[in-house]
Amino acid sequence: MDFRQNDAIAKRMEFMLNRVQTLKEHDLYFYNQPVSEIRGGGRVLVKGREMGMYASYSYLGLIGHPRINAAAKAAVDRYGTGTHGVRTLAGSLPIHEELEETIAHFRGAEAAVTYSSGYATNLTVISTLLGRGDYVISDKLNHASIVDGCLMSGAKFVRFKHNDMEALEARLKEIPAEAGKIVIADSVFSMDGDIIDFPKMVELCQKYHARLMVDEAHSVGVLGKTGRGIEEHFGMPGVIDIKMGTLSKTIPSVGGYVAGKSEIITFLRHASRAYIFSAALPPAQAAAANEAFKVILDEPWRVEKLNANTQQFINGLKARGFDTMLTETAIVPVLLGEDETAFAMTQHAQHHDVFVLPVVSPAVPQGLARLRATVTAAHEYDEIEYAMNVIETAGRELGILDSKA
Ligand SMILES: *Cc1c(COP(=O)(O)O)cnc(C)c1O
């Protein structure tokens, strides 16, 4: 008997492949659909149909912005499409240094360092700063890339109940005073859209002498009057030690970064493996990201419009009777319950040209399945009303909302 054919690996694959197959058979498979065109007003072309896009992280509608496209094209003309390898050796270009200066300026930090993705950034930064004997204290709903970085670091991995500052303090009290420790949280949580209790977390980090790292994937361009993120939102500049962000969401490129004190950034530049052993960002992507930060500051109406759209969307869904949980941001969960309900709602919405996606177990606990809809600055008022009406009709048909109302 060949045990390789029927081992735990085969079982793991079989489980997933069966799930995918079953969903496809029932016309309930909504993942990996190619978006073949992006049009104005937050609209996209999917399988030949124009749909309102409510699953985009391009919060400020910057994908395709003429200035950003032009910067990317100019970089290709000047440098070509690739780098010569890793930054440390021949891969550094002037555009990388410019980008890192732009990020540091935008984030109100002394310096910044970039990596090839946000995922790689969390993995490498957390595992470089922390090692055996240290402690990492992480919110239970932190992004997978943070969790993976914590596991990889070899530090004691301590988790606290989501956004519960009493739980965080209880954990911090148990940790030896002299131990190296970093508290890590998302600023805005990617499944629920809620904001971390930042003032209290900062206070606890100061009280217990822990460094603070915040992942701002969903708050840059979203929180704060000028979109600079959670410090601006709470009026507390310069309190985060390690400001992490991605270049793939509000910033229409790819890559990740951390910003902070020069000493931390210089250390990471010489010690983090994703910097030393992985190729530099391609010139076009670095140039696009660099230009995007400038566009955000030059076009402040985008942050204002995102805020107005967010209010319209959250309030409109609540008024229609939906539970949007604790969101205060552009990520808007529509709580439904069972996985099947979330799939059926998605099917109805997509058949009516509203592109939303379901979030089901194991990404969220069973019974907490939902639609997760995002609004952006690209949406127009009437489009958002239409999308909410489609979701409302589906909710009535599926018995989520009272059908009489
Ligand atoms: C998307 C995301 C990342 C990963 O960023 P990529 O640049 O897409 O790799 C990290 N953290 C959070 C909270 C995210 O939402």
Side-chain angles (χ1 to χ4, degrees), residues 261-317:
K261 287 226 160 34
S262 306
E263 59 201 37
I264 294 181
I265 302 306
T266 303
F267 172 67
L268 290 171
R269 216 181 275 291
H270 296 92
S272 58
R273 292 162 85 88
Y275 189 92
I276 303 169
F277 296 106
S278 187
L281 278 181
Q285 299 318 121
N290 184 52
E291 193 66 19
F293 283 104
K294 297 179 177 178
V295 170
I296 295 175
L297 297 181
D298 290 347
E299 300 180 0
W301 62 266
R302 289 180 182 275
V303 178
E304 284 163 29
K305 188 163 171 212
L306 174 64
N307 280 328
N309 287 353
T310 299
Q311 291 313 315
Q312 181 194 350
F313 199 51
I314 295 175
N315 294 337
L317 287 168

Side-chain angles (χ1 to χ4, degrees), residues 117-119 122 143 145 186 190 215 217-218 246 248-249 255:
S117 78
Y119 181 85
N122 274 332
H143 191 261
S145 56
D186 289 10
S190 54
D215 178 336
H218 299 282
T246 170
S248 70
K249 290 183 171 122

Side-chain angles (χ1 to χ4, degrees), residues 138-143 159-168 171 184-197 201 325-327 370:
S138 171
D139 186 288
K140 273 204 173 153
L141 293 190
N142 276 348
H143 191 261
R159 303 198 306 160
F160 62 95
K161 187 170 168 235
H162 173 52
N163 211 359
D164 182 333
M165 293 302 129
E166 277 175 30
L168 172 58
R171 296 286 172 280
I184 307 184
D186 289 10
S187 49
V188 169
F189 288 85
S190 54
M191 292 294 155
D192 294 17
D194 55 335
I195 303 172
I196 192 80
D197 183 352
M201 192 171 61
M325 304 176 75
L326 296 173
T327 186
R370 64 196 71 170

